[in-house]
Structure formats: C-alpha cells, structure tokens
Amino acid sequence: MLLTAACQSDRCRISGEARHLDDGAMVYLITDLSTCRHADSAIVNQGHFALSVADGGDHAPLCQIVSAAHPEAGVTFFAVPGDVYVELRPAVGRSRVSGSKVNNQWQALNDSVALCDRRLRPLIRAIGKADSLDSRRLYREVRRLHTRLNDCISDAARRNRDNAMGHYIATHYTAR
C-alpha cells in the first residue's frame, strides 16, 4: 500500500522584480498598513527579490511591498497561501501583483480604478474653467464615471465574497 500526502503550505511566498533598483537596495514588507512598520525586508539582487509571510487565511491581511528609494510606488497584495509575484516600478501606480486568484482579481480592480481615475482627473480640472452649459455636461460625465467606479468595486466585492479581497472590500469600502 502506498500512501501519499500533500502538505498545504500556510505561507505566502513572494517573489518579485525591481529592475530599476541597484543590487543591494532594500525592499520592505509591510503587513500592518495602519502602522506602516516593516515586518521583513529583502535585498535586491540582479533586479529580483524574495520574501515569505504566514498567510492570514480567509481574512488575509492586505500587505505592501515598498522600496526605500521609491516608497510611494509600492504595491499592495493579499497574503494568501501560495506564490505571489510582484513587479515594483518607480512610477506611482505602475507596480503590479499577480500569482493567485485573489491577487489577480485585486490587480484587475486596481487597473479599473486607475482607468476611471485617469478619466476623472481632467474632467474635474476642466469644470472650473468651463461655462455653465459645459459645466453641466462635465458634471454628468463625472457622475457617470463615479457610478462606474462604484459599480466596479461593488462587482469585485460580490465576485470575491468568499475570499480575502471580498472581505476587505466589504469591511473597508462604502459606496459614495
């Protein structure tokens, strides 16, 4: 009789790239976004780094990876069991995460939010310069995009209601 068993790891293994950072640069893992204290760190070697963190189960914490050189350009992700891949980029909003269903969905939501943001900002700037007729048209477009943004977030929460991302959105987001 042959008995085999597979061990389910309770670790979130993070590998990543930060090609814009020099060898020896530090990247930091933040597991408590309210304090922003570094829970761990890794040294970048040939544009790559690796970390590991215990997963948080169904309510995995939202974590962040940042570099000392560009802390504003970090990336957030959920510490779920398995492998997470992080691409740190120097420009704000350009870093990416992938590797698990939850983090792939999280990146897709972030991409949708960023797209709405890129469309909203010029409209809002234009409202102050527009005449009254044009302002009404701009306000309608802002309202439409804001509704779309709320729908994207609500839909993501609904699709992910059984995982860490859905729980995070449900407890941290209120449609406005």
Side-chain angles (χ1 to χ4, degrees):
M1 179 159 117
L2 177 63
L3 178 67
T4 59
C7 296
Q8 177 78 13
S9 173
D10 67 344
R11 305 291 298 170
C12 174
R13 293 171 304 281
I14 306 146
S15 60
E17 64 182 66
R19 298 188 185 278
H20 64 288
L21 297 177
D22 295 330
D23 282 358
M26 300 295 290
V27 294
Y28 300 99
L29 171 66
I30 300 169
T31 56
D32 182 351
L33 299 184
S34 64
T35 65
C36 291
R37 285 203 178 109
H38 303 154
D40 201 356
S41 62
I43 297 173
V44 174
N45 184 14
Q46 296 182 346
H48 295 276
F49 61 90
L51 291 156
S52 179
V53 63
D55 85 276
D58 289 339
H59 305 297
L62 187 64
C63 297
Q64 188 174 37
I65 299 277
V66 298
S67 73
H70 303 278
E72 70 285 352
V75 65
T76 55
F77 66 96
F78 290 93
V80 294
D83 298 319
V84 173
Y85 191 76
V86 169
E87 299 171 53
L88 280 183
R89 297 184 181 155
V92 174
R94 298 293 186 209
S95 295
R96 302 189 62 78
V97 63
S98 61
S100 68
K101 177 188 172 199
V102 171
N103 285 305
N104 291 341
Q105 290 285 322
W106 180 246
Q107 185 62 56
L109 176 60
N110 282 310
D111 291 345
S112 296
V113 168
L115 179 61
C116 285
D117 179 66
R118 281 193 302 276
R119 291 179 178 165
L120 278 168
R121 287 180 187 271
L123 291 172
I124 291 170
R125 279 193 298 272
I127 287 173
K129 301 173 188 169
D131 62 30
S132 63
L133 287 176
D134 203 28
S135 287
R136 283 188 222 142
R137 181 188 61 77
L138 292 170
Y139 276 120
R140 280 192 306 274
E141 182 63 10
V142 166
R143 245 189 334 270
R144 185 187 70 75
L145 285 169
H146 188 260
T147 298
R148 181 172 175 216
L149 177 63
N150 283 323
D151 290 346
C152 283
I153 296 168
S154 297
D155 289 346
R158 225 177 349 272
R159 280 192 317 273
N160 291 279
R161 66 183 166 272
D162 62 342
N163 65 37
M165 180 179 156
H167 177 75
Y168 181 84
I169 294 171
T171 57
H172 291 86
Y173 178 77
T174 303
R176 291 176 177 84

